[in-house]
Amino acid sequence: MARKVLVVDDELDMRIFVSTLLETSGYKPLTAVDGKEGMLVARREKPSVVILDVMMPSESGIGMYRELKTDPELKDIPVIMLSALSKKTFYHSQKVLDEYKGETVPEPSAYIEKPPEPDELLEAIQACLE
């Protein structure tokens, strides 16, 4: 049975690119346009991996990431962050949020800068599933 991979990104091109890559690599892609829809799909489908865009208009990827990691049923799903932001900027924004909330959230399984290299993305997914 194909492993489900949830792609949460507000950019249609990116959703199509990643979904096509997943499908041709034997995964079952699920998609969502923002963090809110992403959480609904994650709760309903329990994907094996989540590929999450950091910057989205209605709910940021960071918000969804925290929600996933603090949900007892979903916290073990590996998350690959995909973003136009550099890794350093992302981790800085995470730290700011951690200090503000007083709770530490684990780091994502992988962080890939956009545009993703297909091989790099597939290797990250494979590593998450092992």
Side-chain angles (χ1 to χ4, degrees), residues 6 8 31-47 50 52 56 59-75 77 79:
L6 172 57
V8 185
T31 58
V33 297
D34 60 26
K36 206 178 240 82
E37 188 186 4
M39 285 305 296
L40 290 172
V41 177
R43 288 202 171 96
R44 191 179 64 226
E45 300 284 345
K46 305 281 189 293
V50 174
L52 184 55
M56 292 181 287
E59 188 181 322
S60 77
I62 293 172
M64 178 177 166
Y65 181 72
R66 290 185 153 265
E67 207 176 324
L68 274 172
K69 291 299 166 191
T70 51
D71 184 311
E73 279 185 37
L74 305 172
K75 67 178 175 35
I77 299 173
V79 177

Side-chain angles (χ1 to χ4, degrees), residues 24-107:
T24 55
S25 306
Y27 297 102
K28 180 180 194 292
L30 307 165
T31 58
V33 297
D34 60 26
K36 206 178 240 82
E37 188 186 4
M39 285 305 296
L40 290 172
V41 177
R43 288 202 171 96
R44 191 179 64 226
E45 300 284 345
K46 305 281 189 293
S48 300
V49 181
V50 174
I51 297 173
L52 184 55
D53 179 23
V54 176
M55 308 292 270
M56 292 181 287
S58 60
E59 188 181 322
S60 77
I62 293 172
M64 178 177 166
Y65 181 72
R66 290 185 153 265
E67 207 176 324
L68 274 172
K69 291 299 166 191
T70 51
D71 184 311
E73 279 185 37
L74 305 172
K75 67 178 175 35
D76 296 327
I77 299 173
V79 177
I80 297 170
M81 297 305 263
L82 191 59
S83 181
L85 278 183
S86 73
K87 192 172 184 171
K88 199 174 147 201
T89 308
F90 169 75
Y91 282 114
H92 177 73
S93 64
Q94 254 316 90
K95 289 226 173 8
V96 171
L97 285 173
D98 282 345
E99 287 159 16
Y100 169 68
K101 290 269 172 100
E103 57 176 320
T104 312
V105 171
E107 289 192 357

